[in-house]
Amino acid sequence: MPAPDLAGVRPPPPGKGKRGEQGHLAYLLRQAQAATRLTLERRLADLGVTPPQFAVLTMLRAYPGLSGADLARVALLTPQTVGVIMRNLERDGAIRKTPHPVHGRVLQWTLTRRGNALLDQCRRPVQALERRLVAGLGGKAQATVRRWLSKIAADLQQDR
């Protein structure tokens, strides 16, 4: 028996059917993350920065002096990826390393003046994207979404 013709079968667009409110939460989170990442990639490309580089710069501003291993954990990247990113950012003068004052073999990373300026440039398109993400949500709804997403990350962290 021949296979049915599937040429006319198309999944619904995002936001419809199982790709919308009827979908599984984990899938919807992944779909939203993928759309957000692609948009972020496009917006940062003009500045020559990738989303993982942006994450590293952001975490170093928030937590100066992180080691490479700690940076990989908080940026949600592999140590190998962070190693490449740090080498490139250091080469470009955006970050610098210093030995840890107690554990001399541990390197601590901080943003340079150039790195801070680059991060400030990146923040403009990122903030525009974030405004788009929360469009139509009031302050309470935004707080609820942030609390819910943070709770998911914290709760599932225990499963690692």
Side-chain angles (χ1 to χ4, degrees):
M1 188 158 151
D5 180 15
L6 297 178
V9 177
R10 298 274 181 240
K16 303 291 183 189
K18 291 290 186 179
R19 298 183 74 198
E21 293 178 18
Q22 298 171 20
H24 295 281
L25 281 176
Y27 174 81
L28 295 175
L29 283 169
R30 179 155 171 26
Q31 178 180 246
Q33 189 276 335
T36 302
R37 182 180 170 112
L38 180 59
T39 302
L40 187 61
E41 283 176 2
R42 290 176 178 159
R43 295 207 175 166
L44 291 175
D46 293 338
L47 298 169
V49 175
T50 66
Q53 289 171 324
F54 174 73
V56 166
L57 292 169
T58 299
M59 290 300 112
L60 283 178
R61 179 176 285 171
Y63 309 107
L66 288 176
S67 69
D70 287 335
L71 192 49
R73 280 188 282 280
V74 298
L76 306 175
L77 299 166
T78 66
Q80 296 82 1
T81 298
V82 167
V84 170
I85 290 170
M86 291 181 347
R87 280 191 297 280
N88 290 337
L89 290 174
E90 183 182 30
R91 179 199 65 215
D92 295 342
I95 63 173
R96 73 172 152 263
K97 64 185 171 200
T98 55
H100 188 280
V102 175
H103 308 286
R105 293 181 57 187
V106 174
L107 298 175
Q108 295 182 295
W109 294 90
T110 55
L111 294 179
T112 63
R113 186 175 296 147
R114 181 183 193 122
N116 274 300
L118 178 60
L119 183 56
D120 287 341
Q121 286 181 305
C122 292
R123 289 295 305 153
R124 285 189 278 282
V126 171
Q127 287 169 339
L129 173 59
E130 289 190 359
R131 283 191 298 275
R132 187 172 171 194
L133 292 174
V134 299
L137 293 178
K140 281 187 176 184
Q142 287 182 46
T144 299
V145 169
R146 289 175 187 275
R147 192 170 36 256
W148 179 66
L149 291 172
S150 296
K151 183 180 181 324
I152 290 170
D155 288 352
L156 295 181
Q157 174 72 26
Q158 298 170 7
D159 292 350
R160 288 186 184 178

